């Protein structure tokens, strides 16, 4: 419940809620310079490859801010509201923002997260310079008759002639269909969902990446239930079908989708939009692209035709003796054929 000297860790209805969505909201409200600097701090904090900053490396890094231990304990409790004993990038941003408040001398509270702060300072890390506000020069009133009166005494200067515009560049050649990947190489990679992504046509994969970026996925590469539902309903599919699609895509029951599982869900949505039965067996390379409200759909990608198969080599016919010692088969009815020793006709 927080440190007694600092007060309990809780939030009122008007402040930032204790959910991960509110931590993500703080990330979304950061200015571009703040987001870049916070991401740099995250990379230097000792976070693991799976996007977690756990207790010991978190304490060692946050202590470099010079904030007292009791205040750091309150900040950790405030950031780790779900008591997972580790911070993701959104929760890390909450902790860093609270540290910036302490360094400015502001009281610790969730309500203060919405206010602007300077960059937090950590030992050995140079913060970016503050953006300078450029003020417009003051307007000086001309009391000597104005510029119009002066212009009457000055001969107009002819405008310089501009060089002609360069000729437009020739159009780029049409993109060739991407060749299919080697099935043997694809079979060596990860799960079935990952292999399906690799085997996908590049244009289709780029479209799915564009949908992934606007789906509401987190910085840790996860699309969780509520955000997934809000995005998938834009496809116009009924809720019952979307629930069935979610279960098929989340076959590991992680309660979130990574990009490979997200692609599986998109392909199943395309099946439902075409009126076909929703099943993993119904997925194919020739399926249509899914459509979502407000997002343009690119043309359906065209795969390169399969390489022609060379005809089989003609079979070698053995000689009449069957042993190959006669020097090869010959036409018995031709005039050139003569019986040889070992042939039935010779005997």
């Amino acid at each position: 419940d927080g440190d007694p000297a600092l007060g309990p860790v809780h939030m009122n209805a008007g402040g930032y809620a204790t959910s991960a969505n509110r931590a993500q909201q703080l990330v979304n409200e950061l200015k571009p310079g703040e987001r870049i600097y916070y991401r740099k701090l995250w990379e230097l904090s000792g976070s693991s490859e799976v996007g977690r900053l756990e207790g010991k490396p978190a304490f060692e890094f946050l202590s470099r801010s010079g904030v007292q231990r009791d205040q750091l304990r309150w900040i950790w409790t405030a950031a780790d509201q779900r008591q997972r004993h580790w911070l993701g990038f959104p929760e890390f941003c909450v902790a860093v923002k609270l540290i910036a408040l302490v360094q400015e001398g502001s009281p610790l509270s969730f309500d203060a997260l919405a206010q602007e702060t300077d960059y937090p300072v950590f030992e050995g890390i140079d913060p970016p310079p503050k953006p300078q506000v450029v003020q417009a020069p003051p307007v000086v009133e001309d009391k000597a008759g104005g510029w119009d009166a002066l212009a009457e005494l000055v001969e107009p200067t002819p405008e310089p002639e501009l060089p002609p515009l360069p000729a437009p560049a020739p159009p780029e050649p049409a993109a060739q269909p991407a060749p299919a990947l080697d099935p043997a190489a694809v079979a060596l990679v990860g799960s079935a969902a990952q292999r399906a992504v690799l085997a996908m046509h590049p244009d289709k994969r780029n479209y799915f990446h564009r949908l992934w970026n606007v789906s509401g996925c987190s910085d840790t590469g996860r699309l969780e239930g509520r955000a997934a539902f809000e995005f998938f309903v834009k496809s116009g599919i009924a809720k019952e079908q979307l629930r069935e699609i979610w279960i098929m895509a989340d076959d590991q029951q992680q309660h979130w989708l990574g990009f490979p599982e997200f692609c599986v869900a998109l392909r199943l949505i395309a099946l439902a939009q075409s009126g076909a039965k929703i099943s993993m067996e119904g997925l194919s390379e020739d399926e249509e692209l899914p459509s979502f409200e407000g997002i343009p759909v690119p043309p359906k990608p065209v795969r390169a035709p399969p390489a022609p198969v060379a005809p089989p080599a003609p079979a070698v016919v053995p000689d009449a003796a069957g042993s190959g010692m006669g020097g090869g088969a010959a036409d018995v009815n031709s005039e050139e054929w003569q019986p040889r020793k070992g042939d039935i006709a010779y005997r």
Side-chain angles (χ1 to χ4, degrees):
D1 295 331
D3 191 90
L6 300 173
V9 178
H10 63 81
M11 300 186 47
N12 57 32
Y16 279 76
T18 60
S19 64
N21 290 340
R22 289 302 183 179
Q24 184 64 43
Q25 177 184 346
L26 172 64
V27 176
N28 297 336
E29 293 175 352
L30 292 175
K31 294 182 179 179
E34 286 181 314
R35 189 177 297 112
I36 294 174
Y37 180 53
Y38 283 21
R39 177 63 69 178
K40 175 184 176 181
L41 295 177
W42 172 255
E43 294 172 354
L44 298 174
S45 65
S47 57
S48 64
E49 294 181 355
V50 295
R52 295 184 179 185
L53 179 61
E54 301 186 355
K56 184 176 180 179
F59 173 76
E60 294 175 352
F61 179 77
L62 298 179
S63 297
R64 295 165 62 180
S65 64
V67 175
Q68 299 177 3
R69 275 194 172 193
D70 56 345
Q71 292 175 314
L72 286 179
R73 188 182 302 112
W74 191 94
I75 289 172
W76 174 271
T77 305
D80 185 24
Q81 284 290 307
R82 291 190 282 179
Q83 298 182 355
R84 299 182 298 183
H85 309 295
W86 55 268
L87 304 181
F89 178 69
E91 296 81 11
F92 174 78
C93 291
V94 173
V96 171
K97 187 80 171 180
L98 292 172
I99 286 175
L101 289 171
V102 174
Q103 291 178 340
E104 288 187 349
S106 302
L108 278 173
S109 69
F110 280 98
D111 294 333
L113 284 174
Q115 73 184 39
E116 294 187 5
T117 60
D118 290 335
Y119 294 116
V121 179
F122 291 84
E123 181 183 357
I125 304 174
D126 295 329
K130 296 181 181 179
Q132 298 184 1
V133 179
V134 180
Q135 297 182 350
V139 179
V140 180
E141 183 181 358
D142 182 17
K143 299 181 179 179
W147 292 108
D148 291 338
L150 179 63
E152 295 177 357
L153 304 177
V154 180
E155 294 183 1
T157 303
E159 296 184 0
E161 295 184 2
L162 298 178
L165 295 176
E172 297 182 358
Q176 298 295 326
L181 297 180
D182 183 6
V186 174
L188 299 177
V189 181
S191 64
Q194 291 172 325
R195 292 195 296 271
V197 173
L198 288 178
M200 200 178 295
H201 191 283
D203 293 345
K204 186 175 185 179
R205 187 162 56 245
N206 291 339
Y207 175 55
F208 282 14
H209 262 297
R210 185 153 59 90
L211 296 178
W212 172 256
N213 291 334
V214 299
S215 65
C217 60
S218 66
D219 288 345
T220 57
R222 296 182 176 184
L223 180 61
E224 301 189 1
R226 182 177 181 84
F229 172 77
E230 292 177 353
F231 178 73
F232 286 155
V233 294
K234 296 179 181 179
S235 64
I237 302 301
K239 292 182 180 179
E240 294 75 13
Q241 291 179 305
L242 289 178
R243 186 179 297 110
E244 183 180 357
I245 289 173
W246 174 273
I247 294 174
M248 290 185 183
D250 184 24
D251 58 344
Q252 302 296 323
Q253 297 183 355
Q254 304 174 112
H255 308 295
W256 53 269
L257 303 181
F259 180 66
E261 296 81 12
F262 176 76
C263 292
V264 173
L266 293 182
R267 298 176 67 188
L268 293 172
I269 287 175
L271 276 181
Q273 289 177 335
S274 67
K277 179 182 178 182
I278 302 175
S279 67
M280 301 297 290
E281 293 77 12
L283 301 179
S284 66
E285 296 181 356
D286 297 330
E287 64 203 14
E288 298 293 333
L289 295 177
S291 59
F292 294 85
E293 180 183 357
I295 301 176
V297 181
K300 183 178 178 181
V302 180
R303 284 195 171 271
V309 180
V316 178
V317 181
D319 57 14
S323 62
M325 297 179 60
D331 188 0
V332 194
N333 299 321
S334 67
E335 297 178 357
E336 299 178 359
W337 181 84
Q338 297 293 332
R340 296 170 293 181
K341 190 173 183 180
D343 292 341
I344 299 178
Y346 184 85
R347 299 174 186 174

